[in-house]
């Protein structure tokens, strides 16, 4: 029953004077896009095919202009998924499913009967599923909490599917989301028997057949060896279906590459644990994703960095140089096929690995060509600095480049590269002297060694450079960065200071909704800071697939409220009976009240954005979000999310970019640059750090070595800070080596603020009100502030009381409180201008 309290923390009434809510524009009808929406959809449409990855192809696609009759199959035809569930779901005004998109583009669908039958199967199975998951609970609240993110596995069925026409497309969807991990069972990671049978039969029976994956992450495709055309469409937000039609018709072409390895489930590493309730041991250390497959010499179906287009490319290394510590290579890429296309070139580094164990290779740079017509070429220059990819040596607490030969490889996938240079380092270089900060995971990381050998002839044919040791200067980290607290902040009362470091709470009766919607100034925004000393509150709204706000809302004297009640984001898992039981909590909206709309543009999910390997596309998406933040008066976007795809089973992987930290950091920086060029629009990178599973996410302890933390799980954050100065960071729910990340002064102050030189604010993930009833305690607001976190979210009376009590008990000093209060105060002041 304790969990029940969580809800009342968020919806308890508490009177306070509110600002006049911002008058949002989208007042007109629901169906008609406004200018900003049309403009944003058009922009995304220009790039979206770049996020799709062609895994297999023959010459059957694109279709010819006269091939307009088409058979459509699969769960993704009518229930096309634009993004995942949970706080990452974004409300766009319009969305066409795949069937509608083909029809509106002039295609005749030959399988309407099949699709109608499938709808019936789905409805029946879904009804059964809801009955089943709710039957264990006697009240809807417990059911919602425990079933958050629960999704039905694709059902088995037997519907006749006689061949009609020459062309068939099967769209296979899988949804996932916050609160629940994916499972290795049929209908989720594995294909159902029905899917295997149907897809193989259709592939044989039709003249032209394409399998399309409308999923946020990998599905085990191993039973589909004979399928010749496979496209990872991914989930592209509002343009998902139109993009598919454009690719099938040849108006566009795929040019994305995988940012996570797709292979049969048995191939994925089982060295570390996943999904344990309390403790998860990251025994694989740095061997995550391709670092594992390449080092353990595992053959995979579709490697990291792999993706085909409709055309073919040939690449040639033009020249390679070492200038100081910067290696650069010029590669020319020629379109040798018959269609237009774009190619991605990737640079990998193999380190000597003599004293420190090293992965076979790591990604150090990438770039994408411009669009190339047949026979046309483009030359890309790829460069990187060796010191940026030094290895962390825990024994000496330093980043080092050990002596030996470093091999640089260039190619269009991690498994299709050629050596383009060698760099010799004569004796060990210490790049940075730090301190170990992250505790002991309780085990030694695994070590792996690939047996692959580079041919001597090849090595002899590429340039070999010797690095001058003097080109890298050892940097010694200090940990005493300070922040100036203004007299204005010092003059505030202790109550005002405490209010600043706790998200605004209990301000309005029946305030908006629960999950990620605790703000009252902008309906459906996830949270806001308190109004102290006439400061404007800082409004925070979720992402990452766009700006998440309530689509319908009304305004009264207490603020802006969603019309769909406090449980809107959670009730999908309830039976009608349970829904009815909580309907009394829905807002009583007086007749005649004006209902306003806030529609935002759903952009591609994080993984899809990264799959474009196109920084410009990420910046353009950031720009769209930044524009909408200005329109709806939101200052902090709770995105980008850049946790690493450690296991394909993590339920929120779709929000994240990759199994590789370099591309994760670069895409984060690119999107941040797009958002933050807007006035008073800033990003919040999340979830810092090692938040790699959803199961028991508030209390789960990730045991990770200092080296793996630094080289894999923190690296993307470090890169993004360096490249784009994000304004805010959200800590994660989980613990790292026994300490909650938000209570870790080492993670927040020492590493983030000092080592990475982060200058912004640090907020917790949405914590308030969770019960302290598990193996690991929940984090407390006073500890978070002591660790130099700035604001405890979403905020509750209990958190506020906790701060004042800690002051009284000398568990928190006034200086510590002022430091965090000042950072929130200063940001609130900044956005006033
Ligand atoms: C999620 C965050 C999200 C926050 C606010 C949490 O449950 O983990 O990613 O930003 O809610 O909605």
């Amino acid at each position: 029953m304790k969990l029940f309290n969580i809800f009342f923390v968020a919806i308890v009434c508490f009177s306070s004077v509110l600002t006049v809510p911002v008058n949002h524009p989208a007042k007109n009808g629901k169906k008609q896009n406004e200018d900003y929406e049309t403009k944003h959809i058009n922009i995304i449409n220009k790039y979206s095919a770049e996020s799709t990855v062609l895994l297999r192809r023959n010459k059957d696609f694109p279709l010819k202009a006269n091939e307009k009759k088409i058979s459509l199959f699969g769960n993704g035809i009518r229930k096309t998924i634009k993004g995942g569930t949970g706080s990452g779901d974004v409300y766009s005004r319009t969305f066409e499913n795949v069937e509608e998109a083909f029809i509106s583009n002039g295609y005749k669908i030959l399988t309407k009967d099949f699709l109608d039958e499938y709808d019936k199967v789905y409805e029946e199975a879904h009804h059964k599923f809801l009955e089943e998951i709710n039957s264990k609970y006697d009240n809807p609240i417990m059911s919602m909490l425990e079933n958050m993110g629960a999704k039905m596995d694709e059902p088995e069925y037997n519907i006749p599917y006689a061949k009609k026409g020459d062309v068939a497309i099967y769209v296979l969807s899988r949804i996932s989301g916050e609160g629940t991990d994916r499972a290795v069972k049929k209908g989720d990671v594995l294909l159902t028997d029905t899917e295997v049978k149907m897809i193989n039969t259709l592939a044989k029976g039709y003249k032209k057949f394409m399998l399309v994956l409308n999923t946020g992450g990998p599905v085990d495709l191993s039973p589909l060896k004979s399928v010749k055309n496979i496209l990872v469409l991914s989930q592209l937000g509002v343009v998902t279906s139109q993009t598919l039609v454009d690719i099938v018709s040849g108006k566009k072409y795929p040019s994305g590459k995988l940012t996570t390895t797709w292979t049969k489930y048995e191939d994925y590493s089982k060295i570390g644990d996943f999904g344990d309730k309390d403790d998860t041991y990251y025994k694989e250390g740095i061997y995550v994703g391709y670092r594992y497959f390449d080092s353990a010499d595992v053959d995979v179906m579709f490697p990291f960095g792999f993706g085909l287009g409709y055309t073919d490319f040939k690449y040639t290394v033009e020249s390679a140089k070492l200038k100081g510590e910067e290696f650069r290579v010029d590669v020319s890429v020629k379109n040798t096929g018959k269609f237009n296309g774009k190619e991605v070139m990737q640079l990998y580094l193999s380190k000597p690995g003599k004293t420190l164990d090293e992965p076979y290779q790591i990604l150090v740079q990438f770039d994408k060509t411009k669009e190339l017509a047949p026979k046309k070429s483009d030359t890309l220059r790829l460069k990187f600095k060796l010191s940026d990819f030094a290895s962390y040596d825990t024994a000496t607490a330093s980043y080092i480049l050990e002596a030996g030969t470093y091999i640089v490889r260039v190619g269009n996938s991690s498994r299709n590269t050629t050596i383009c240079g060698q760099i010799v380092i004569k004796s060990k270089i210490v790049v940075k002297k730090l301190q170990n900060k992250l505790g002991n995971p309780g085990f030694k990381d695994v070590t792996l060694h690939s047996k692959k050998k580079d041919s001597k002839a090849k090595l002899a044919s590429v340039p070999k450079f010797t690095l001058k040791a003097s080109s890298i200067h050892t940097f010694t980290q200090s940990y005493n960065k300070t922040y100036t607290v203004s007299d204005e902040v010092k003059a505030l009362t202790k109550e005002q200071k405490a209010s600043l470091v706790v998200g605004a709470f209990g301000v309005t009766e029946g305030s908006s909704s629960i999950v990620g919607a605790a703000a009252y100034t902008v309906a459906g925004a996830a949270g806001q800071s308190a109004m102290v000393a006439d400061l404007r509150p800082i409004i925070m709204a979720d992402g990452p697939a766009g700006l998440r706000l309530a689509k319908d809302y009304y305004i009264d004297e207490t603020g802006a409220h969603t019309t769909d009640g406090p449980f809107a984001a959670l009730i999908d898992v309830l039976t009608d009976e349970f829904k009815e039981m909580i309907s009394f909590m829905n807002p009583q909206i007086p007749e005649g009240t004006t209902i306003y709309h806030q529609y935002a543009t759903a952009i591609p999910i994080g993984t899809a954005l990264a799959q474009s390997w196109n920084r410009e596309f990420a910046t353009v998406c950031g720009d769209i979000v930044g524009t909408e933040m200005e329109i709806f008066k939101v200052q902090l976007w709770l995105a980008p999310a850049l946790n690493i795809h450690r296991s394909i089973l993590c339920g929120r992987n779709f929000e994240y970019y990759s199994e590789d930290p370099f591309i994760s950091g670069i895409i984060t920086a690119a999107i941040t640059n797009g958002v933050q060029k807007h006035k008073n629009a800033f990003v919040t990178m999340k979830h810092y750090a090692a938040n790699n599973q959803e199961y028991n996410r508030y209390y789960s302890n990730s045991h990770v070595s200092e080296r793996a933390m630094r080289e894999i799980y923190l690296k993307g954050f470090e890169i993004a800070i360096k490249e784009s100065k994000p304004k805010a960071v959200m800590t994660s729910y989980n613990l790292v080596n026994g300490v909650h990340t938000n209570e870790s002064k080492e993670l927040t102050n020492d590493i983030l603020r000092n080592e990475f030189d982060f200058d912004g604010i640090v907020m917790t993930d949405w914590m308030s009100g969770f019960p302290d009833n598990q193996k690991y305690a929940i984090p407390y607001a006073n500890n978070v502030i002591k660790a130099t976190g700035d604001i405890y979210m979403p905020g509750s009376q209990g958190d506020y009381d906790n701060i004042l009590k800690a002051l009284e008990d000398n568990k928190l000093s006034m200086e510590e409180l002022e430091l965090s209060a000042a950072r929130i105060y200063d940001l609130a002041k900044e956005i006033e201008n």
Side-chain angles (χ1 to χ4, degrees):
M1 209 53 195
K2 253 185 177 173
L3 280 176
F4 208 85
N5 295 338
I6 296 169
F7 285 85
F8 292 97
V9 168
I11 56 173
V12 76
C13 36
F14 192 85
S15 71
S16 168
V17 183
L18 292 173
T19 47
V20 177
V22 189
N23 193 11
H24 305 299
K27 224 177 168 182
N28 61 20
K30 280 195 167 193
K31 290 272 144 41
Q32 186 74 43
N33 279 333
E34 293 207 7
D35 291 350
Y36 73 92
E37 295 167 279
T38 308
K39 189 171 158 209
H40 291 168
I41 291 169
N42 289 341
I43 294 172
I44 298 175
N45 251 326
K46 268 215 265 178
Y47 294 87
S48 54
E50 296 203 26
S51 291
T52 68
V53 184
L54 197 56
L55 296 180
R56 282 193 203 140
R57 70 148 212 258
N58 61 12
K59 296 205 163 75
D60 291 345
F61 291 87
L63 296 179
K64 308 225 159 47
N66 62 356
E67 291 177 307
K68 286 283 191 188
K69 289 188 187 149
I70 194 161
S71 294
L72 298 177
F73 299 96
N75 58 351
I77 299 295
R78 287 190 178 161
K79 301 198 185 318
T80 315
I81 297 171
K82 72 177 193 326
T85 63
S87 62
D89 195 6
V90 169
Y91 301 112
S92 290
R93 192 186 305 261
T94 51
F95 181 71
E96 269 187 336
N97 65 27
V98 166
E99 182 186 25
E100 290 160 346
F102 271 106
I103 292 172
S104 62
N105 283 271
Y107 286 82
K108 185 168 166 31
I109 313 302
L110 304 177
T111 45
K112 204 174 159 308
D113 295 353
F114 173 88
L115 297 170
D116 289 345
E117 280 308 306
Y118 177 80
D119 283 349
K120 288 186 208 150
V121 167
Y122 177 89
E123 285 316 322
E124 203 177 302
H126 193 241
H127 182 78
K128 241 170 126 181
F129 164 73
L130 293 184
E131 293 282 326
E132 215 174 281
I133 61 169
N134 283 280
S135 64
K136 298 177 201 129
Y137 305 95
D138 52 16
N139 74 67
I141 306 283
M142 283 306 290
S143 173
M144 273 191 291
L145 280 173
E146 300 280 313
N147 288 318
M148 181 182 181
K151 58 201 171 0
M152 179 181 86
D153 294 332
E154 173 63 10
E156 303 283 358
Y157 55 87
N158 198 354
I159 307 172
Y161 47 97
K163 176 177 174 295
K164 292 179 184 168
D166 292 334
V167 181
I169 292 186
Y170 189 107
V171 178
L172 186 143
S173 294
R174 293 285 190 264
I175 191 133
S176 64
E178 197 172 339
T180 301
D181 288 311
R182 299 182 64 200
V184 192
K185 53 181 177 176
K186 290 178 183 174
D188 192 344
V189 170
L190 308 180
L191 300 171
T192 64
D193 295 342
T194 311
E195 286 169 340
V196 174
K197 190 167 147 227
M198 264 188 87
I199 294 168
N200 278 326
T201 312
L202 295 171
K204 279 197 202 102
Y206 276 84
K207 203 168 134 205
K208 297 187 173 187
F209 175 74
M210 183 185 270
L211 169 66
V212 175
L213 284 319
N214 173 220
T215 68
V219 174
D220 183 338
L221 300 175
S222 57
L224 304 178
K225 304 223 165 39
S226 58
V227 179
K228 301 209 169 57
N229 294 285
I230 304 182
L231 176 76
V232 178
L233 175 65
S234 190
Q235 298 166 346
L236 303 173
V238 69
V239 303
T240 305
S241 305
Q242 183 60 43
T243 306
L244 175 61
V245 176
D246 289 343
I247 288 174
V248 167
S249 68
K251 202 166 151 198
K252 290 181 184 163
Y253 51 85
S255 67
K257 305 267 178 184
L258 295 178
T259 53
T260 281
T261 309
W262 279 51
T263 191
K264 58 175 177 296
Y265 185 71
E266 296 87 74
D267 293 341
Y268 291 99
S269 164
K270 309 287 180 302
I271 298 170
D273 313 329
F274 178 84
D276 298 74
K277 180 162 179 287
D278 299 314
D279 295 279
T280 304
Y281 295 90
Y282 289 40
K283 291 187 198 137
E284 73 283 2
I286 53 173
Y287 294 101
V288 176
Y290 68 88
R291 284 166 167 78
Y292 163 75
F293 294 116
D294 292 346
S295 309
D297 293 325
V298 177
D299 275 342
V300 297
M301 290 175 71
F302 306 108
F304 176 85
F306 171 80
L308 304 167
Y310 281 152
T311 191
D312 295 305
F313 296 96
K314 186 171 178 290
Y315 64 88
T316 316
V317 175
E318 299 291 343
S319 66
K321 272 199 186 89
L322 184 72
K323 207 163 168 244
E325 61 144 330
E326 183 180 274
F327 180 89
R328 73 160 81 125
V329 56
D330 288 344
V331 193
S332 71
V333 182
K334 184 170 183 193
N335 182 345
T336 56
K338 295 204 165 59
F339 293 90
N340 288 359
K342 284 188 176 189
E343 179 63 301
V344 176
M345 295 310 298
Q346 305 155 35
L347 208 57
Y348 294 88
L349 178 67
S350 300
K351 301 184 202 174
K354 284 193 184 136
T355 52
L356 279 187
D357 200 52
E358 295 289 356
Y360 173 72
Q361 59 180 356
I362 61 171
L363 179 73
V364 295
Q365 195 49 276
F366 63 88
D367 203 0
K368 196 164 192 172
T369 64
K370 60 185 186 210
E371 177 170 280
L372 294 175
K375 300 205 177 70
K376 294 288 178 208
S377 305
D378 190 12
T379 300
L380 298 177
R381 169 164 294 180
L382 303 171
K383 52 189 185 181
F384 72 97
K385 277 192 188 152
L386 276 157
S387 62
D388 287 340
F389 297 93
S391 308
Y392 192 74
D393 177 22
T394 314
T396 57
S398 53
Y399 276 102
I400 61 162
L401 289 164
E402 68 170 312
T405 305
Y406 291 68
I407 295 171
V408 189
R409 306 169 195 278
V410 67
N412 59 2
S413 123
S414 62
R415 292 271 168 113
N416 184 31
T417 60
T418 183
I419 300 174
C420 60
Q422 298 183 72
I423 306 159
V424 176
I425 296 186
K426 290 242 165 83
S427 55
K428 175 173 131 180
I429 299 175
V430 178
V431 174
K432 245 188 217 174
K433 285 189 181 157
L434 304 166
Q435 291 168 14
N436 289 330
K437 293 284 178 188
L438 296 169
N440 187 346
F443 57 84
K444 263 197 156 157
D445 287 353
V446 74
T447 57
L448 296 173
H449 301 278
S450 166
K451 296 199 171 59
K452 290 185 275 291
K453 285 259 173 301
D454 292 309
S455 94
K456 282 200 178 127
K458 179 70 201 176
L459 286 171
S461 73
V462 302
K464 193 168 185 171
F465 309 97
T466 301
L467 182 86
K468 270 203 199 119
S470 61
S471 59
I472 298 176
H473 302 289
T474 305
F475 172 82
T476 304
Q477 182 69 49
S478 69
Y479 292 92
N480 50 15
K481 190 171 163 187
T482 52
Y483 188 83
T484 311
V485 178
S486 65
D487 291 341
E488 251 168 288
V489 171
K490 284 188 183 147
L492 297 174
T493 63
K494 65 175 191 289
E495 287 79 11
Q496 286 176 314
K497 290 171 195 162
S499 296
L500 281 170
V501 301
V502 171
F505 59 91
V507 188
T508 165
E509 186 168 356
S511 101
S512 13
S513 93
I514 304 302
V515 167
Y520 53 88
T521 311
V522 176
Q528 64 175 66
S529 63
M531 282 183 291
V532 169
D534 291 335
L535 280 181
R536 205 163 120 174
I538 306 163
I539 311 294
M540 306 148 187
D542 261 306
L547 191 65
R548 177 178 163 83
L549 297 171
K551 55 186 187 310
D552 307 316
Y553 73 101
Y554 66 100
I555 299 171
D556 66 15
E557 63 293 349
T558 63
H561 315 279
T562 69
T563 56
D564 47 8
F567 302 118
L570 289 170
I571 56 173
D572 279 358
V573 295
L574 296 183
T575 52
D576 289 346
E577 195 190 337
F578 268 179
K579 278 185 194 154
E580 186 54 38
M581 276 169 74
I582 51 167
S583 62
F584 72 96
M585 287 171 107
N586 286 345
Q588 304 299 314
I589 308 166
E591 219 167 289
T593 305
T594 308
I595 304 299
Y596 297 87
H597 307 296
Q598 299 173 124
Y599 288 103
T601 309
I603 62 174
I605 56 166
T607 307
L609 211 50
Q611 279 173 186
S612 73
W613 296 66
N614 185 341
R615 294 163 171 88
E616 184 183 295
F617 184 27
T619 301
V620 157
C621 285
D623 193 11
I624 286 172
V625 172
T627 306
E628 295 183 3
M629 288 170 76
E630 282 197 80
I631 295 175
F632 294 113
K633 305 279 184 274
V634 171
Q635 291 83 39
L636 282 181
W637 186 42
L638 302 179
L642 61 150
N643 294 101
I644 293 292
H645 293 172
R646 171 177 178 253
S647 158
I648 63 159
L649 300 182
C650 173
R652 286 182 91 173
N653 272 359
F654 70 96
E655 297 188 49
Y656 310 147
Y657 298 123
S658 172
E659 63 190 23
D660 176 78
F662 176 71
I663 189 166
S664 300
I666 294 295
I667 296 294
T668 301
I671 199 161
T672 299
N673 287 331
V675 172
Q676 294 196 166
K677 69 182 182 206
H678 291 270
K679 189 168 159 55
N680 294 337
F682 306 105
V683 303
T684 310
M685 291 196 295
K686 69 187 185 186
H687 310 88
Y688 182 79
N691 185 172
N692 302 101
Q693 78 180 45
E694 286 301 288
Y695 179 50
N696 205 28
R697 61 189 178 142
Y698 313 122
Y699 308 90
S700 128
N701 184 8
S702 305
H703 294 257
V704 201
S705 70
E706 180 103 19
R707 180 174 183 200
M709 277 301 286
R710 288 174 177 279
E711 290 190 26
I712 306 289
Y713 300 102
L714 299 178
K715 190 77 181 176
F717 290 92
E718 183 178 10
I719 292 171
I721 291 166
K722 202 157 134 196
E723 304 259 328
S724 64
K725 291 210 162 298
K727 188 64 130 197
V729 165
M730 184 193 291
T731 48
S732 53
Y733 283 127
N734 56 287
L735 304 91
V736 169
N737 298 330
V739 184
H740 268 289
T741 58
N742 50 24
E743 290 188 336
S744 165
K745 193 163 187 177
E746 288 77 12
L747 267 172
T748 303
N749 185 65
D750 300 348
I751 296 183
L752 188 65
R753 296 194 192 281
N754 280 277
E755 290 183 21
F756 298 172
D757 204 14
F758 174 70
D759 282 328
I761 69 158
V762 179
M763 69 181 73
T764 66
D765 199 342
W766 268 227
M767 294 293 319
S768 308
F770 290 121
D772 209 348
N773 61 357
Q774 301 221 8
K775 174 170 174 186
Y776 293 107
I778 53 154
Y780 285 93
N782 63 314
N783 294 337
V784 168
I785 304 308
K786 208 171 183 65
T788 79
D790 297 315
I791 184 163
Y792 198 90
M793 292 303 295
S796 72
Q797 181 73 44
D799 305 328
Y800 170 82
D801 293 345
N802 163 282
I803 297 285
L804 291 179
K805 177 94 175 44
L807 270 183
E808 224 174 272
D809 297 348
N810 290 324
K811 283 187 180 163
L812 184 70
S813 71
M814 185 54 85
E815 289 69 37
E816 286 167 329
L817 175 59
E818 277 173 354
L819 205 59
S820 301
R823 281 191 278 250
I824 300 297
Y825 185 93
D826 293 348
L827 178 57
K829 270 266 170 235
E830 183 181 338
I831 63 171
E832 262 173 10
N833 304 314

